[in-house]
Amino acid sequence: MPSTGQTIADAAAALGLTADTLRYYEKDGLLLRPVPRDASGHRRYEITDLRWIELVTRLRSTGMPIRDVRRYAELVRAGEGNEPERLALLQAHREEVLRQLSEVTAHLGAIEYKIGIYEDRLAQLERIA
C-alpha cells in the first residue's frame, strides 16, 4: 500500500520549519493528533496536519505562549462544547497582539521622525554644496 501525506522533511520545508520543530510540536502536545506513520514508521503529514501546524506557527509567531497554544489544542481535541473557552483564549491573544502592534507602531513613528530629520539635513547640505 503506498504512503500518503508528506514526509517530515517535505512538511518542514513546506512550512518553513525544521524537522526538530515538528517533532517538538508533536511531543509537546501542540498538535491535534499524533502524526500518522507509514508502514516503516515514518511520519506522514496530511493536509489537515499541515494546516494546524501553520496555525500553531502563527500563534507562536505572534507571541502566544506555548502553554496557551497547548491549551487551545486541548480544547480543539476535546471537540464541541468548549467554543466559548476557545473564543476567550483567542480574543485575549488578539488583545495582546493589538497592544504589541500599537507599541511597535509608536516605535516606528519615532524612527520615521528621526529619518525625516536626517533626510532634511542632508537635503539642506546638498543645497548648500
Side-chain angles (χ1 to χ4, degrees):
M1 180 165 136
S3 299
T4 61
Q6 293 187 10
T7 65
I8 194 167
D10 290 341
L15 294 164
L17 302 171
T18 66
D20 287 339
T21 299
L22 292 178
R23 287 185 201 97
Y24 169 76
Y25 282 2
E26 186 176 8
K27 179 182 175 192
D28 206 41
L30 304 181
L31 303 186
L32 294 182
R33 64 183 184 149
V35 177
R37 309 240 177 184
D38 63 17
S40 57
H42 297 109
R43 289 173 177 86
R44 303 303 291 197
Y45 291 83
E46 300 294 336
I47 190 71
T48 55
D49 301 311
L50 299 178
R51 285 187 185 139
W52 178 260
I53 293 166
E54 185 176 43
L55 175 62
V56 168
T57 302
R58 287 178 189 271
L59 294 173
R60 290 292 301 134
S61 293
T62 56
M64 182 180 272
I66 290 284
R67 71 180 174 279
D68 291 346
V69 177
R70 188 179 309 114
R71 178 66 183 140
Y72 184 65
E74 289 168 359
L75 291 168
V76 173
R77 278 193 301 268
E80 294 181 12
N82 60 29
E83 289 83 359
E85 208 172 337
R86 292 184 213 179
L87 178 60
L89 196 151
L90 292 175
Q91 286 174 328
H93 182 61
R94 177 183 62 194
E95 289 305 311
E96 178 59 18
V97 170
L98 288 171
R99 185 197 64 74
Q100 291 172 4
L101 184 58
S102 176
E103 187 176 307
V104 169
T105 300
H107 296 324
L108 179 60
I111 293 166
E112 294 288 351
Y113 174 77
K114 291 304 271 185
I115 288 171
I117 289 172
Y118 290 114
E119 288 174 342
D120 290 348
R121 179 71 178 137
L122 292 174
Q124 288 173 2
L125 291 174
E126 286 178 11
R127 282 193 295 272
I128 294 172

